[in-house]
Amino acid sequence: MDRRRFLKFSSAAAVTATLPHPGAIAAALASVSEPKSDIAAVTGEGDAVSLERAAVQELADALRGRLLLPGMEGYESARRVLNYSIDKHPALIAQCTGAADVQYAVDFARSHDLLLAVKCGGHSFSGKGTCDGGLMIDLSRLRGARVNPASRTAWVDGGSLLGQMDHETAAFGLVTTAGTVSHTGIGGLTLGGGYGRLGRRFGLTLDNVKGVEIVTADGQFRRADGEENPDLYWAVRGGGGNFGVVTSFEMQLHPFDRNVIAGRLVFPLPRARDVLEVYAEFTEDAPRELYADYMIVAPPGSDGVVVLSICYIGSQKDLGRVLDPLRKLGKPMVDDIKDMDYVTLQRSGDDDDPRTTGTYQKSGFIRGISPELAARAVDGFQADPNRLTLLYFQHCGGAISDVAPNATAFAHRAASHNMFCTITWPLEADAASHLQWLRSYWATLDPYTSGFYMNDIADEGQQVVNRNYGVNYERLVQVKNQYDPANLFRLNANVVPTA
Ligand code: FAD
């Protein structure tokens, strides 16, 4: 059972564009309102701006990839992000095929003061990868991973999906931490954190980044690692997309037997509280080789069930002892824990389709699950026939907590779990009552949280975002001032420059 296993999510194919025919740009330009009229767009500050047709044509000619305008074939699917309740229309979409294309697109956005969005996997719940009226850099043509088995490293293109990295590295008996749904983008996930089944053993995905290649706001292509541009290297590991477009990540890999022990234990809803209390204790002392998530999931029309989702990469001989506390919970409704191929496990939550649902989520880090929190979380949980409701505790700690809060820009090292509640509803339905329920439920849980996962950002205000960067905020502002003083990269958990 994966994170959001029961949500309706699509495969990456759903956001893959079809090819426009030759001359489509000229035709699309010709069809933009009156002949010779400019193209309406918006600046980063939200002001209306006009783009000259000749300048847009020049950008289209410069790119090796495609430039899509509204009405062109491929535009509709390219503008979409995973959360279909976000329905935005960029003025232009640059489907970049490499760093050079990214440089052209960044230069164009900067020189026209355009609002700029960068989309990799499009998984941001709040739709940070798209925008209305600006330029979207779509990285879906920049995908692939190349492994160097000798150095146990991989170069992963900045638009790749997690499954592409897992597929390539596992073939060499190597791995690094990745999230639990294989069509999540490497870009957003890594720059903001990267929790996954192997994180307690190998750290966050960002802890495994040895270096990046990045196009910064001035259009320059830079390498950032421990030696070159070390401040930038520090900032991109936790500072999200604030500092430029990462065109390639160099990842540290680890030797790995791809056979893991994984599966679910499912219990009826009335067991929710005692299972959560046992889970709380169980995860507190768990070895690093064990990753265990707890969820209550209630699809429309069901009161819900309780699911423990396990992945174990330790020795087989210790398995019985490790899982013993969970076995003491008695016979579950479902027990499908077994030997599994890791890459298959990583894909196991991929196959639902989100195109008919909207999504909203609240989340926060916690440091342990007290009986009081367990009671509030379970007692306040409410299924609804017209939505899917999911309460989730994602297992953190282990190697993630070995790293000092200021060693990278990711400060939340002490969390035991990422707690979140996600709801999805049919797109045509009125979401107001669902949103209201989640906000008031979350108000009862929020006092137990200590910061939140920036990759789960919803509608938090700027002050909350600033505070959430914790001890790293001041240094992030300095790096932002240096590399993006005009805040070109603002559609993210934004670090607002002060320069
Ligand atoms: P996008 O929406 O494409 O981008 C998100 C942000 O990153 C945007 O601000 C974008 O501009 C920026 N960005 C993306 N790529 C680049 C790049 N190459 N250079 C610069 N900026 C870039 N998180 C976990 O840690 N573990 C999980 O197991 C996990 N599971 C998830 C499962 C699902 C189904 C979903 C929807 C989310 C999950 N998440 C998980 C959260 C996930 O980390 C974030 O949603 C993340 O932002 C997704 O990255 P993306 O590239 O797909 O998103």
Side-chain angles (χ1 to χ4, degrees), residues 178-343:
T180 58
V181 171
S182 89
H183 51 81
T184 308
I186 192 85
L189 178 119
T190 306
L191 295 170
Y195 289 96
R197 297 182 172 97
L198 307 181
R200 292 173 42 75
R201 177 76 179 77
F202 299 126
L204 295 169
T205 311
L206 63 76
D207 294 328
N208 291 282
V209 172
K210 286 173 65 80
V212 295
E213 291 176 347
I214 182 168
V215 175
T216 46
D218 55 3
Q220 294 297 307
F221 174 82
R222 300 171 199 268
R223 159 104 192 165
D225 57 26
E227 320 247 287
E228 223 174 307
N229 300 308
D231 268 2
L232 191 54
Y233 174 55
W234 172 85
V236 295
R237 290 173 298 152
N242 268 290
F243 304 96
V245 183
V246 173
T247 53
S248 197
F249 292 90
E250 187 184 10
M251 293 293 188
Q252 181 67 62
L253 306 177
H254 310 272
F256 184 63
D257 171 2
R258 58 190 287 167
N259 293 309
V260 300
I261 294 157
R264 304 161 305 167
L265 300 175
V266 182
F267 296 92
L269 190 66
R271 300 287 314 273
R273 176 112 161 247
D274 74 294
V275 173
L276 183 52
E277 285 177 359
V278 169
Y279 168 83
E281 226 173 282
F282 173 69
T283 49
E284 213 172 271
D285 298 330
R288 290 169 179 222
E289 289 72 24
L290 183 84
Y291 169 86
D293 289 346
Y294 170 103
M295 72 192 91
I296 304 177
V297 58
S302 144
D303 288 342
V305 288
V306 180
V307 182
L308 296 179
S309 173
I310 308 290
C311 176
Y312 177 68
I313 57 168
S315 88
Q316 185 91 33
K317 78 172 172 30
D318 295 335
L319 180 67
R321 183 179 50 78
V322 168
L323 292 188
D324 194 44
L326 298 186
R327 298 291 183 211
K328 288 194 178 130
L329 281 165
K331 193 171 161 45
M333 294 156 66
V334 176
D335 175 353
D336 61 7
I337 296 176
K338 58 177 189 292
D339 282 3
M340 270 195 90
D341 174 65
Y342 174 73
V343 179

Side-chain angles (χ1 to χ4, degrees), residues 9-10 37 56 61 72 74 92 116 151 166 179 182 210 220 247 279 344 356 385 387 401 405 421 438 459 471:
F9 289 127
S10 72
S37 71
V56 173
D61 293 342
M72 282 174 67
L92 304 170
L116 178 63
S151 61
D166 281 341
S182 89
K210 286 173 65 80
Q220 294 297 307
T247 53
Y279 168 83
T344 308
T356 53
R387 66 162 185 258
S401 304
C421 184
L438 179 49
D459 41 17
V471 290

Side-chain angles (χ1 to χ4, degrees), residues 3-4 118 120-124 158 180 185 188-189 195 244 246 453 455 491:
R3 183 179 184 187
R4 303 169 183 94
V118 179
C120 175
H123 272 214
S124 155
T180 58
L189 178 119
Y195 289 96
V246 173
Y453 185 26
N455 276 359
L491 293 179

Side-chain angles (χ1 to χ4, degrees), residues 399-418:
I400 299 164
S401 304
D402 290 346
V403 181
N406 63 354
T408 68
F410 187 92
H412 299 280
R413 298 292 181 168
S416 67
H417 298 85
N418 181 18

Side-chain angles (χ1 to χ4, degrees), residues 371-447:
E372 195 184 68
L373 169 57
R376 284 204 187 186
V378 170
D379 296 348
F381 183 88
Q382 233 172 63
D384 185 295
N386 297 315
R387 66 162 185 258
L388 178 147
T389 316
L390 175 74
L391 172 68
Y392 207 109
F393 292 84
Q394 182 164 36
H395 201 179
C396 308
I400 299 164
S401 304
D402 290 346
V403 181
N406 63 354
T408 68
F410 187 92
H412 299 280
R413 298 292 181 168
S416 67
H417 298 85
N418 181 18
M419 171 176 74
F420 55 87
C421 184
T422 312
I423 52 173
T424 64
W425 61 89
L427 268 188
E428 68 278 7
D430 180 7
S433 64
H434 303 308
L435 298 181
Q436 196 186 358
W437 173 79
L438 179 49
R439 288 186 180 125
S440 56
Y441 174 54
W442 195 258
T444 68
L445 305 183
D446 201 42

